[in-house]
Structures are given as structure tokens and as C-alpha cells.
Amino acid sequence: MATLEAGMTREAAFELLAAHNKEDFHIEHGETVEQTMRYFAREFDPENEEFWGIVGLLHDLDWEEHDDEPELHTIYAAPLIEAAGGTPELVRAIQSHTSDFNPELPKPELQMEKVLFATEELTGLIGAAVVMRPSKSVMDFNVKSLKKKFKDKRFAAGVDREVITSGAEMLGWELDELFARTIEAMQSFAPDRDTFQPAG
């Protein structure tokens, strides 16, 4: 596979995220998606794990400042990323996850872009479900519990179920497989935390 260059280090990417996001919630979501992306990179594209991770970290860079304009989500982020040295492929990968909001943006093509599209909303749903559990841990969470929450449209109503479904289709996975793999991804890094923090 081709080497993907982000144009910035993980540290620089985190500084950029922190400069435009003041709520811990949004920082934690970026880190959750980063670690989820790194998990899948180790399976599908290990040479580009750092790139996958930075895409995950910065995917919602402009959301806190512009959440009232979903159709322009990631449009505002592009010049910020470019000014920090980010490459065109980094901008493209991040923008591909909002192509459902804005049809003028690139659709996911690379496996990395498809994984971001499929798992980003799903990590939010899993995070919201986990904090409702007595353990507040993803370690004892399972597909059956996730399916119940997925079907209950009132639960975490801001999570777009259609995006998750179409993301699974892009990857050629059944929903259950996407659910299981994403839970496993989140379990792989959750033990590093005292309690698992919800994604948004």
C-alpha cells in the first residue's frame, strides 16, 4: 500500500485540536476515534497507522465552533489543517466522513476512509451506552446490548444510524460484524483509562 503522509506529527495534531476545542467531551471523542482508527490500521494498513490515527484525532476539528452548520462541517477545518502543514490527503480523508452532509465532498474510497465513516458515529453510540451501565466500562459490553441501543432511536438520538448502516455496506460487513469489531477496538484501549469516557 502507498505511504500516506499527514504533514504533521501527532503532537502537532493534538495542539491543533485543543486550539479549536475547549470542551473535554470533544477532545475525548477525537482521542477515542484516533485509537479506534489505530486499531483498524494495525489490521489493514500497519505502515500508515500514524496517518489513520491523525485522521481520527482531527476528524471533528471544526465541529465545536461550527456545529450549527453541519453541511459545512470539515469545510472550515480544511484551511486550519493546511495552515498547520497538513497534506491534501489528510484533508481529503477527514472530509470524506461528511460526504453524507455535503455531496460535493469526496466519498470514502480508501479502506481508512471507509472505516472512519463507519465507526465514527458508532463510537459515540457505544460510549453513550457504556456510561449507562453499572460498570461504566466497555470491557463487559457486547453486540447484543449494542443492537438494543441501535434500534432504540430515542437513545443517543443525535447518532445517525443511517451513516453507520451505510458505512458497514461500504466495508462489505454485516452490521453485527461492524458492531463486534468496533467494540473490540474500543476494548483494546479502554483499560488505559480509569473509567471509559463517552464519545460524542
Side-chain angles (χ1 to χ4, degrees), residues 40-107:
F40 283 108
R42 289 192 289 274
E43 176 180 352
F44 294 112
D45 191 13
E47 290 182 11
N48 288 312
E49 181 183 334
E50 190 74 355
F51 184 90
W52 285 53
I54 291 172
V55 167
L57 188 64
L58 293 180
H59 78 282
D60 274 354
L61 174 63
D62 60 12
W63 183 252
E64 184 177 308
E65 294 175 338
H66 301 286
D67 63 356
D68 57 336
E69 299 176 279
E71 71 284 357
L72 296 178
H73 177 32
T74 72
I75 300 283
Y76 287 110
L80 302 176
I81 294 166
E82 288 162 358
T87 59
E89 56 256 51
L90 179 63
V91 172
R92 193 213 122 82
I94 288 168
Q95 290 191 329
S96 72
H97 95 280
T98 51
S99 55
D100 55 320
F101 282 133
N102 185 343
E104 292 181 15
L105 292 176
K107 294 239 181 296

Side-chain angles (χ1 to χ4, degrees), residues 78-185:
L80 302 176
I81 294 166
E82 288 162 358
T87 59
E89 56 256 51
L90 179 63
V91 172
R92 193 213 122 82
I94 288 168
Q95 290 191 329
S96 72
H97 95 280
T98 51
S99 55
D100 55 320
F101 282 133
N102 185 343
E104 292 181 15
L105 292 176
K107 294 239 181 296
E109 291 177 6
L110 298 176
Q111 183 79 353
M112 172 262 305
E113 294 166 347
K114 294 175 183 177
V115 169
L116 176 65
F117 191 94
T119 62
E120 187 259 335
E121 291 271 321
L122 186 53
T123 62
L125 182 62
I126 293 169
V130 160
V131 294
M132 304 296 291
R133 296 171 71 77
S135 68
K136 300 213 180 320
S137 171
V138 75
M139 300 311 291
D140 59 1
F141 193 56
N142 58 41
V143 171
K144 184 179 176 186
S145 298
L146 180 54
K147 284 170 82 169
K148 271 192 198 165
K149 298 299 187 189
F150 184 82
K151 287 175 183 170
D152 180 1
K153 300 295 196 310
R154 294 166 301 172
F155 180 79
V159 172
D160 192 331
R161 271 72 169 170
E162 286 183 20
V163 165
I164 295 169
T165 301
S166 60
E169 289 170 359
M170 275 181 204
L171 287 164
W173 300 351
E174 296 293 332
L175 259 183
D176 280 15
E177 181 181 1
L178 176 62
F179 288 174
R181 281 171 171 256
T182 307
I183 291 170
E184 285 165 12

